[in-house]
């Protein structure tokens, strides 16, 4: 037999070549924990073929002796047959040192249980709700991801353990993911026709235990009213807003999904319980979903014409009102102005930005939905109330929705050509055409502007105009004209349907970004250095120096700094100064000077028009990134404290085992300044981040990995919890 740790066998030995000559000859050491272990946990069985003996602990029953389990019946042909070892558990004290057990993090804990109790079957499973994909066939195993409803999973085997039937999904690098396919024989989704011969895994109707519960909801009927007091009716219901689909006809029942507006639901029966009329939706495997169709007789959507003959198309209501209320809003008219003082007009309005659709013609009325840009709304009447012109949208069952079409006569979108005779509703005191700024007093110029910070794009050339969108830094905007009004130079951006967006390009002549070379002859709009007024202030930050330390006590130095994490770029060298932008990790910053104030060493970044940005380069002498080789003579600013590595905890550089490897995160994991969950977070690494580490360290239930970073610094992340891998070791 060949004995060693799982890690060593995988990393250094061609086990395929060995087992071709000596089948089932591997004796593998793979531990769940370095502490006491009384029984083998088969969820941690090594993911290898040809294993005959599994050494599952080096501290059996706390006696510091190795515990083994015979995976296959064993016999020693050179001894008496009576000495054949065919028991399922043994303890040996033959001098096998516990130090031979692997202490490195390369213990595969993917819980594949490849050779135990799995039935081979290739098939496709479609989830009926949100189901956790785990690293092992146990609800205690780590979650790789939560699969949303209707996720299609290809599996190659299944195993029934207790009340659950687990499906095994092959993944990259010979790893597996595991998910529950059935609970007590009830499918949690659909087994696709055309899978293996038996396209539904065998179930265990009398489970051995029922202690584990999954985190995902079991899609069973949790209400005792499923088959009693229901009125049969086949129909179609279209949701008028977001409505919860539940496991039972009760607001206390679990939510299967939140159905968005305009979801079409086929129902086969209805029932009125208190104030609510519930609809029953048939689902896979004789399961049902339940949703509210009415509250106090008010429809929460549209009952499609032509349900089953001889049945009312809308379920009857019950005036009793229970204490429970649903999470979704009741779409009723809460404003008494629905039929008074409205001018009839059939037309179509296309939103020019995000606009609230409300239950009444008032900004105090409830919001039914936030209509995104370019939503097409059919309206049948309009009304001007104060500064706003409201449009009325007919909805299901004689209900209405209301939205603002104009503000002080300025359209918040496009009134489609070909609507009713009067295609644009009359306004209060202002004309129906586009804002006056659109076609007068503008200087024509085709150019490209790149934002130097976050800038609002508005419906008009005024800081009082509605915001269409917040343009992030480095957004490229094509403009066709500019205009200076007061302190601001506005740029005009052509948009769909003859509409425009407006943004500030300059403030008191200072550019808020870059005017791209190769634009029109005059590549930068003219500025107004003596503005007529200075009363309006934009909502976005003015990139000026707000600190009086710009030109005093700074040490000149030209260099390049690469951020080691997300760092704020500010208008001054103070944490109280306004944030211009959040610089992401690995942003390259050219600086021309530095200054140490208190614990921070600030770097000064030259920006457009003699402006500066400021960022922290060091904290108590510890670099927050990399000072690039080949910068100015002194590549790292002088600081008042030492420049040793960050040591947030005492264990960062003690008792570490050297090992160069690559770790791929299996989920979001925090990268910290020390090997402790109390150490500050440098950044949160997303799933599938590739990390190169040079050492690992065991601290309690965690195995920490050490990542070399710039300037002799390190980052630390958890690679295992209770010996359970949080990703893949390449």
């Amino acid at each position: 037999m060949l004995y060693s740790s799982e890690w060593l066998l995988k990393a250094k030995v061609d086990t395929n070549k060995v087992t071709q000559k000596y089948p089932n000859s591997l004796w593998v050491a793979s531990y769940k924990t370095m502490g006491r272990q009384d029984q083998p946990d088969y969820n941690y069985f090594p993911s290898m073929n040809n294993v005959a003996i599994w050494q599952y602990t080096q501290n059996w029953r706390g006696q510091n002796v190795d515990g083994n389990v015979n995976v296959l019946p064993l016999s020693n042909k050179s001894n008496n047959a009576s000495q054949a070892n065919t028991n399922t558990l043994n303890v040996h004290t033959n001098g096998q040192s516990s130090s031979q057990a692997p202490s490195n993090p390369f213990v595969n804990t993917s819980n594949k249980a490849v050779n135990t109790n799995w039935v081979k079957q290739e098939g496709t499973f479609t989830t009926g709700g949100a189901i956790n994909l785990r690293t092992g066939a146990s609800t205690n195993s780590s979650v790789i991801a939560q699969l949303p409803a209707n996720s299609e999973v290809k599996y190659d085997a299944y195993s029934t353990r207790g009340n659950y039937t687990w499906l095994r999904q092959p993944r990259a690098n010979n790893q597996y993911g595991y998910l529950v396919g059935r609970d007590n024989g009830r499918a949690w989704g659909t087994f696709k026709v055309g899978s293996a011969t038996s396209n539904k895994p065998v179930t265990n109707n009398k489970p051995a235990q029922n202690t584990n519960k999954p985190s995902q909801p079991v899609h069973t009927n949790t209400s005792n009213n499923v088959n009693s007091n229901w009125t049969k009716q086949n129909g179609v219901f279209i949701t008028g807003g977001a409505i919860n689909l539940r496991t039972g006809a009760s607001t206390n029942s679990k939510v299967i999904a939140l159905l968005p507006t305009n979801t079409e639901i086929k129902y086969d029966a209805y029932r009125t319980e208190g104030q609510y009329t519930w609809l029953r939706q048939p689902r896979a495997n004789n399961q049902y979903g339940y949703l509210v169709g009415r509250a106090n007789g008010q429809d929460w959507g549209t009952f499609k014409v032509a349900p089953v003959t001889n049945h009312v198309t809308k379920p009857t209501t019950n005036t009793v009102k229970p204490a429970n209320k649903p999470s979704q809003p009741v779409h009723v008219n809460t404003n008494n102005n629905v039929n008074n003082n409205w001018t009839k007009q059939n037309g179509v309005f296309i939103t020019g930005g995000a606009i609230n659709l409300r239950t009444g013609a008032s900004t105090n009325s409830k919001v039914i939905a936030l209509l995104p840009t370019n939503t097409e709304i059919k309206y049948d009447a309009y009304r001007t109330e104060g500064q706003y012109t409201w449009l009325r949208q007919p909805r299901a069952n004689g209900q209405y929705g209301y939205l603002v079409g104009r503000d002080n006569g300025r359209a918040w979108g496009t009134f489609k050509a070909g609507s009713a005779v009067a295609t644009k509703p009359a306004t209060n005191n202002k004309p129906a055409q586009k804002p006056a700024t659109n076609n007068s007093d503008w200087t024509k110029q085709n150019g490209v502007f790149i934002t130097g910070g976050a800038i609002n794009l508005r419906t008009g050339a005024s800081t009082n105009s509605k915001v269409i969108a917040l343009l992030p830094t480095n957004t490229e905007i094509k403009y066709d004209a500019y205009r200076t009004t007061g302190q601001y130079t506005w740029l005009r951006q052509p948009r769909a349907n003859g509409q425009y967006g407006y943004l500030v390009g300059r403030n008191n002549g200072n550019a808020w970004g870059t005017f791209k070379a190769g634009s029109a002859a005059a590549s930068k709009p003219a500025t107004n250095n003596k503005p007529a007024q200075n009363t309006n202030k934009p909502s976005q930050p003015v990139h000026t120096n707000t600190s009086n330390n710009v030109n005093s006590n700074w040490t000149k130095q030209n260099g390049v700094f690469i951020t080691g994490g997300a760092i704020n770029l500010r208008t001054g060298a103070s944490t109280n100064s306004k944030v211009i932008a959040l610089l992401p990790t690995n942003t390259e910053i050219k600086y021309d000077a530095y200054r140490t104030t208190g614990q921070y060493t600030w770097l000064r970044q030259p920006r457009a028009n003699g402006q500066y940005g400021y960022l922290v380069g060091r904290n108590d002498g510890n670099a927050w990134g990399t000072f690039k080789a080949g910068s100015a003579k002194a590549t790292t600013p002088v600081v008042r404290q030492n420049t040793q590595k960050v040591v947030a905890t005492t264990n960062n550089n003690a008792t570490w085992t050297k090992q160069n490897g690559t770790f791929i995160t299996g989920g979001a994991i925090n990268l910290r300044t020390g090997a402790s969950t109390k150490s500050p977070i440098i950044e949160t690494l997303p799933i599938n981040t590739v990390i190169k580490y040079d050492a690992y360290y065991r601290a309690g239930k965690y195995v920490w990995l050490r990542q070399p970073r710039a300037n002799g610094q390190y980052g630390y992340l958890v690679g295992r919890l209770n010996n359970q891998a949080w990703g893949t070791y390449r």
Side-chain angles (χ1 to χ4, degrees):
M1 302 192 71
L2 174 61
Y3 170 87
S4 189
S5 70
E6 180 187 15
W7 171 80
L8 188 64
L9 289 173
K10 284 186 171 180
K12 304 295 184 182
V13 179
D14 186 351
T15 55
N16 288 330
K17 189 173 181 180
V18 172
T19 55
Q20 280 175 5
K21 187 170 183 179
Y22 304 104
N24 302 323
S25 61
L26 301 183
W27 184 350
V28 182
S30 177
Y31 302 165
K32 171 184 177 181
T33 176
M34 301 303 288
R36 173 172 175 162
Q37 183 82 7
D38 292 359
Q39 298 291 336
D41 184 343
Y42 288 98
N43 287 325
Y44 290 84
F45 186 83
S47 57
M48 299 179 69
N49 294 320
N50 290 286
V51 175
I53 302 176
W54 170 34
Q55 182 179 311
Y56 63 87
T57 182
Q58 52 90 45
N59 193 11
W60 181 74
R61 295 189 178 179
Q63 298 180 34
N64 290 318
V65 294
D66 297 339
N68 293 267
V69 59
N70 296 347
V71 180
L72 300 173
L74 301 180
S75 63
N76 187 339
K77 294 179 181 179
S78 64
N79 292 339
N80 189 291
S82 64
Q83 295 177 341
N85 184 355
T86 58
N87 57 347
T88 58
L89 180 68
N90 70 75
V91 177
H92 69 85
T93 56
N94 59 358
Q96 191 80 35
S97 169
S98 62
S99 65
Q100 292 180 359
S103 61
N104 53 63
F106 276 101
V107 180
N108 191 317
T109 58
S110 58
N111 305 336
K112 284 184 265 192
V114 174
N115 294 313
T116 58
N117 301 322
W118 285 87
V119 179
K120 284 286 184 182
Q121 181 186 86
E122 294 192 344
T124 302
F125 176 74
T126 306
T127 58
I131 301 179
N132 286 329
L133 182 69
R134 297 180 179 272
T135 56
S138 165
T139 55
N140 294 324
S141 298
S142 293
V143 176
I144 298 172
Q146 187 176 62
L147 306 173
N150 294 320
S151 296
E152 196 166 277
V153 174
K154 292 185 178 178
Y155 65 94
D156 70 346
Y158 68 87
S159 175
T160 298
R161 301 180 180 197
N163 54 319
Y164 298 124
T165 297
W166 292 86
L167 307 180
R168 189 175 71 181
Q169 178 206 36
R171 294 171 63 81
N173 300 309
N174 295 317
Q175 302 298 306
Y176 291 97
Y178 301 83
L179 68 154
V180 174
R182 293 181 178 271
D183 178 17
N184 285 325
R186 287 193 171 169
W188 278 10
T190 307
F191 289 89
K192 201 167 184 181
V193 175
S195 294
T197 307
S198 168
N199 61 24
K200 299 179 184 177
V202 177
T203 61
N204 184 348
N205 293 322
K206 295 191 180 289
Q209 54 182 355
N210 192 14
T211 55
N212 292 329
K213 306 252 182 204
S215 61
Q216 58 269 26
V218 180
H219 298 171
T220 56
N221 298 320
T222 58
S223 174
N224 59 5
N225 58 14
V226 174
N227 296 309
S228 59
N229 303 323
W230 286 82
T231 302
K232 285 285 185 184
Q233 183 185 84
N234 292 317
V236 177
F237 175 75
I238 303 170
T239 59
I243 302 178
N244 286 326
L245 183 70
R246 298 180 180 271
T247 56
S250 165
T251 54
N252 294 324
S253 296
K254 279 191 176 180
V255 175
I256 298 172
L258 182 65
L259 305 173
T261 309
N262 293 323
T263 302
E264 195 166 283
I265 297 292
K266 291 183 180 178
Y267 66 94
D268 70 346
Y270 68 88
R271 172 181 176 170
T272 299
E273 187 82 17
Q275 75 193 86
Y276 300 122
T277 297
W278 292 86
L279 308 180
R280 188 174 72 181
Q281 177 207 33
R283 293 172 63 81
N285 301 301
N286 297 319
Q287 304 297 305
Y288 291 98
Y290 301 84
L291 68 153
V292 174
R294 290 177 176 272
N296 291 323
Q298 288 280 96
D299 290 346
W300 278 12
T302 308
F303 288 88
K304 210 166 182 182
V305 178
V308 174
T309 314
N310 299 327
H311 286 287
V312 293
T313 60
K314 299 173 188 177
T316 57
T317 62
N318 185 333
T319 57
V320 180
K321 298 181 181 179
N324 289 331
K325 296 192 177 174
S327 59
Q328 58 268 25
V330 180
H331 299 170
V332 296
N333 297 319
T334 58
N335 192 294
N336 59 6
N337 60 11
V338 175
N339 295 308
N340 302 323
N341 303 322
W342 286 82
T343 303
K344 286 284 186 184
Q345 182 185 84
N346 292 317
V348 177
F349 176 75
I350 303 169
T351 59
I355 302 178
N356 286 326
L357 183 69
R358 299 180 179 270
T359 56
S362 165
T363 54
N364 294 324
S365 297
K366 277 191 176 179
V367 175
I368 297 171
L370 181 66
L371 305 173
T373 307
N374 292 325
T375 303
E376 195 166 283
I377 297 292
K378 292 183 180 178
Y379 66 93
D380 69 346
Y382 67 89
R383 171 179 176 172
T384 300
E385 189 82 18
Q387 73 190 85
Y388 297 121
T389 297
W390 293 85
L391 306 180
R392 188 174 72 181
Q393 178 205 35
R395 292 172 64 81
N397 303 300
Q399 305 299 306
Y400 291 97
Y402 302 84
L403 67 152
V404 173
R406 294 181 177 273
D407 178 10
N408 286 326
R410 288 188 172 169
W412 277 11
T414 307
F415 290 88
K416 203 169 184 181
S419 295
V421 178
T423 59
K424 300 178 185 175
T427 60
N428 195 6
N429 296 310
K430 305 270 181 177
Q433 66 267 21
K434 295 177 207 170
T437 58
N438 283 9
N439 297 306
S440 59
D441 302 325
W442 286 81
T443 302
K444 286 284 186 183
Q445 182 186 85
N446 292 316
V448 177
F449 176 76
I450 303 170
T451 59
I455 303 178
N456 286 325
L457 183 69
R458 299 179 179 271
T459 56
S462 164
T463 55
N464 295 323
S465 296
K466 197 171 177 70
V467 175
I468 298 171
L470 181 64
L471 305 173
T473 307
N474 292 324
T475 302
E476 196 166 281
I477 296 292
K478 292 183 179 178
Y479 65 94
D480 70 346
Y482 68 88
R483 172 180 176 174
T484 300
T485 304
Q487 73 194 83
Y488 300 121
T489 297
W490 293 86
L491 307 180
R492 188 175 72 181
Q493 178 205 35
R495 292 170 64 81
N497 301 306
Q499 303 299 303
Y500 292 97
Y502 302 84
L503 68 153
V504 173
R506 293 181 177 272
N507 178 20
N508 287 326
N510 292 321
W512 277 11
T514 307
F515 290 88
K516 203 167 184 181
S519 295
S523 62
K524 299 180 183 177
T527 59
N528 184 350
N529 294 321
K530 295 187 180 290
Q533 54 182 353
N534 193 15
T535 55
N536 291 329
K537 298 204 183 256
S539 61
Q540 59 268 25
V542 179
H543 300 173
T544 56
N545 298 320
T546 59
S547 174
N548 60 4
N549 59 13
V550 173
N551 296 306
S552 59
N553 302 324
W554 286 81
T555 302
K556 285 286 185 181
Q557 181 186 84
N558 292 315
V560 177
F561 176 76
I562 303 171
T563 59
I567 302 178
N568 285 325
L569 183 70
R570 298 180 180 272
T571 56
S574 165
T575 55
N576 295 323
S577 297
K578 277 191 177 179
V579 176
I580 297 171
L582 182 65
L583 305 173
T585 307
N586 293 323
T587 302
E588 196 166 283
I589 296 293
K590 292 183 179 178
Y591 65 95
D592 70 346
Y594 67 88
R595 172 180 175 172
T596 300
T597 304
Q599 71 192 87
Y600 298 120
T601 297
W602 292 86
L603 306 180
R604 188 174 71 182
Q605 178 206 34
R607 293 172 63 82
N609 300 300
Q611 304 298 306
Y612 292 97
Y614 302 83
L615 68 153
V616 173
R618 292 181 177 272
N619 180 13
D620 283 331
N622 293 319
W624 278 12
T626 308
F627 289 88
K628 203 167 183 180
S631 295
K633 185 176 289 184
T635 58
T636 53
V638 177
V639 295
R640 61 184 178 83
Q641 295 188 26
N642 64 54
T643 57
Q644 64 185 13
K645 298 194 288 278
V646 176
V647 180
T649 61
T650 57
N651 61 9
N652 281 0
N653 297 300
T655 63
W656 285 80
T657 302
K658 285 286 185 182
Q659 182 184 85
N660 292 316
T662 302
F663 176 76
I664 304 171
T665 59
I669 302 178
N670 287 327
L671 183 69
R672 297 179 180 273
T673 58
S676 166
T677 55
K678 294 179 180 177
S679 296
I681 295 172
I682 298 173
E683 62 179 306
T684 300
L685 305 172
I687 192 169
N688 292 325
T689 302
V690 176
I691 296 291
K692 292 185 178 177
Y693 65 94
D694 70 346
Y696 68 88
Y697 169 81
R698 289 183 183 271
K701 57 184 174 179
Y702 297 114
V703 173
W704 291 87
L705 306 180
R706 189 174 72 181
Q707 178 206 34
R709 293 172 65 81
N711 299 307
Q713 305 297 305
Y714 292 99
Y716 302 83
L717 69 153
V718 174
R720 294 182 178 276
L721 172 60
N722 287 328
N723 227 25
Q724 191 82 7
W726 278 12
T728 306
Y729 291 89
R730 183 176 282 174

